[in-house]
Amino acid sequence: MSNELDFRLEDFEPADADSEYAEHRFWGSDFTVMAEHHTTPHGSHSFVVAHDSSVTWGVPGEPQIAAIKVARDLSLNTFTFESTYHSSVSFAQNWLIGQGCPPEQISQISDGFTQPADDLSTRIEQQIRSSGSRYEVLDSDTTDYGPAENWTMVQDSAATQAPIRVFLEEADLEAGTYTVREGAFADEEAAQHWLETRDSPLPQPAEYRSDAALRTRAALTRSAGASALPKAGPDAQSAPSVATAQRPSPGRSM
């Protein structure tokens, strides 16, 4: 995978003025490709996640991750562009998946970017990527320094309580890693207050606590059951061990 934008538009012309403008805009050297997928064998579509470093010099807090879709009309040799900006890679990937990009293709981030620091970060990113239209983005912010972080505030249509969620990504640039955490709030005002004050830990969603309680109870049940079992005799067959589930490959973010 190359880090330079290449939409493979040789012998194609823009279908409209907006696409012509987008072509000139995205050919700039300020974009670094993070993930891409080009359909085969005919190449009717391209899907790209790219970091736009020029945003750093613009309005503070603006999202820096571009999600770009190129559709080619192979009969007319024309193309059209669609694009959106996001504060995090996983939301950009979610948008492209919704536009028809295969999830497994756009989830592979190129080398040279920071990596998730733990399994929970990987799990939350996968949750966002595969969420479809579950999250309505309300606000976001990106900070390059002091500390390097981004957050996205959403309305969670699947939440039965605390429907305002904040996905907070914090980078450790020296270690080359980042963490992603999800916070749950009753309303936008409460979420905004926490983001401005940071006067308490990020409130965990209730379903996280429920998951943890279920796992704890299951572990205790297994432990109690094992202690009550009689010891196997010399002719008894040993039970097969339970294989651990394979975890998804971690993505990478800015």
Side-chain angles (χ1 to χ4, degrees):
M1 180 189 299
S2 171
N3 284 339
E4 296 183 2
L5 282 175
D6 182 2
F7 295 117
R8 307 182 184 187
L9 296 177
E10 296 81 2
D11 302 323
F12 286 85
E13 297 294 330
D16 49 44
D18 289 342
S19 297
E20 183 176 11
Y21 171 77
E23 181 186 20
H24 290 298
R25 177 188 180 191
F26 288 123
W27 274 119
S29 59
D30 293 325
F31 291 89
T32 303
V33 174
M34 303 181 71
E36 61 183 335
H37 172 63
H38 306 275
T39 57
T40 56
H42 303 298
S44 60
H45 290 80
S46 289
F47 304 91
V48 178
V49 176
H51 176 245
D52 183 356
S53 61
S54 69
V55 177
T56 302
W57 312 109
V59 178
E62 288 294 290
Q64 300 178 7
I65 307 299
I68 308 164
K69 173 189 175 184
V70 180
R72 305 175 189 82
D73 187 324
L74 303 178
S75 62
L76 299 176
N77 279 24
T78 60
F79 65 86
T80 57
F81 268 88
E82 291 182 68
S83 65
T84 62
Y85 271 74
H86 306 265
S87 284
S88 74
V89 171
S90 50
F91 275 99
Q93 292 166 327
N94 169 267
W95 184 82
L96 290 172
I97 292 168
Q99 297 295 310
C101 184
E104 65 277 7
Q105 299 293 339
I106 206 63
S107 298
Q108 301 301 314
I109 302 300
S110 59
D111 295 333
F113 296 97
T114 53
Q115 301 184 28
D118 52 30
D119 290 341
L120 180 55
S121 298
T122 300
R123 185 181 118 187
I124 293 175
E125 286 188 309
Q126 175 58 25
Q127 173 184 314
I128 295 170
R129 277 195 297 268
S130 61
S131 63
S133 59
R134 171 180 172 179
Y135 299 122
E136 177 190 354
V137 175
L138 304 173
D139 198 4
S140 68
D141 186 77
T142 299
T143 306
D144 291 318
Y145 56 88
E149 68 169 38
N150 68 70
W151 55 260
T152 303
M153 185 191 303
V154 303
Q155 174 91 31
D156 183 356
S157 62
T160 56
Q161 55 180 302
I164 303 301
R165 301 297 168 92
V166 171
F167 292 96
L168 175 66
E169 181 176 319
E170 297 177 293
D172 184 338
L173 300 181
E174 291 186 2
T177 61
Y178 63 90
T179 59
V180 184
R181 296 293 184 262
E182 179 182 359
F185 300 88
D187 51 44
E188 292 182 54
E189 183 178 358
Q192 195 61 51
H193 174 78
W194 185 90
L195 287 165
E196 291 173 357
T197 62
R198 311 289 177 102
D199 55 0
S200 62
L202 186 65
Q204 232 183 24
E207 55 266 30
Y208 282 27
R209 297 192 293 273
S210 298
D211 287 347
L214 286 173
R215 287 195 297 270
T216 299
R217 284 199 295 269
L220 290 172
T221 300
R222 287 195 299 270
S223 177
S227 63
L229 290 175
K231 294 182 179 179
D235 296 329
Q237 294 183 346
S238 59
S241 60
V242 179
T244 56
Q246 184 178 7
R247 297 187 183 278
S249 300
R252 290 171 192 153
S253 179
M254 290 301 297

